[in-house]
Amino acid sequence: GHRFPDTWGANGSAAFVVQSGQLFFSVCVFTLAALVCLTVITFRRVRYGGELGGPSDAKAYSSFLLVLLWFFYIGLSVWKLMTGTDSFHEQILAIGIGIPVLLVLMFLFATLVQALKISKKYIGEEGFWGVFVAICIIGGRMLIFLGFQFEW
């Protein structure tokens, strides 16, 4: 009751207080992600006759985008909490950096899907899974290497 004495009830019961600056950024990021999600769902309904139908590539791309949007929201919310910044310009910059990161990750995912399809076509089912595991191992090793190089 010391920080917000006007929110205490007559009998000493507390009230839930959310400062306006703390909620704005989270709501904006959530709304942006929700608009993209609704756009994807609407596009899939028009193009494929339903949200869950269509070719496997379209399903994979849509699924990956929706998972990325979830990480986008969680990541920016954690960033806001950890930095505690109230600067509007920094918050817009964070969103502005996050959007190209989403696009690059979508491009990398599409490239990986196409590479795996090509490898599956030319080297068969068993070879496909071998290449997939090798890519995962090499990618994991690269992340560990970069983690040590940049002291993450």
Side-chain angles (χ1 to χ4, degrees):
H2 301 294
R3 289 184 67 186
F4 304 102
D6 55 334
T7 60
W8 284 87
N11 60 359
S13 62
F16 183 69
V17 177
V18 177
Q19 294 175 325
S20 63
Q22 302 300 319
L23 197 55
F24 176 75
F25 179 73
S26 180
V27 169
C28 286
V29 173
F30 181 84
T31 303
L32 179 65
L35 289 173
V36 173
C37 179
L38 290 173
T39 302
V40 168
I41 289 172
T42 303
F43 173 77
R44 291 188 57 79
R45 179 175 289 172
V46 170
R47 178 75 189 250
Y48 303 116
E51 293 82 7
L52 301 177
S56 61
D57 283 0
K59 291 178 194 177
Y61 299 144
S62 297
S63 300
F64 190 70
L65 176 60
L66 296 177
V67 169
L68 280 180
L69 288 174
W70 182 74
F71 280 115
F72 175 73
Y73 172 71
I74 297 296
L76 286 178
S77 295
V78 168
W79 170 82
K80 172 73 166 80
L81 180 69
M82 297 298 288
T83 61
T85 183
D86 287 330
S87 169
F88 181 73
H89 294 96
E90 286 182 20
Q91 294 173 9
I92 294 297
L93 182 64
I95 294 171
I97 290 171
I99 291 171
V101 168
L102 288 176
L103 295 174
V104 167
L105 289 173
M106 282 299 296
F107 176 77
L108 291 175
F109 179 74
T111 304
L112 178 65
V113 166
Q114 294 306 315
L116 290 175
K117 284 175 67 175
I118 291 169
S119 71
K120 190 174 182 179
K121 178 179 176 183
Y122 288 107
I123 61 178
E125 188 75 28
E126 297 81 19
F128 164 78
W129 288 110
V131 170
F132 179 75
V133 169
I135 288 173
C136 289
I137 291 172
I138 291 170
R141 287 183 175 182
M142 286 176 54
L143 285 175
I144 292 170
F145 172 76
L146 291 174
F148 280 117
Q149 289 297 316
F150 295 108
E151 297 177 6
W152 291 341

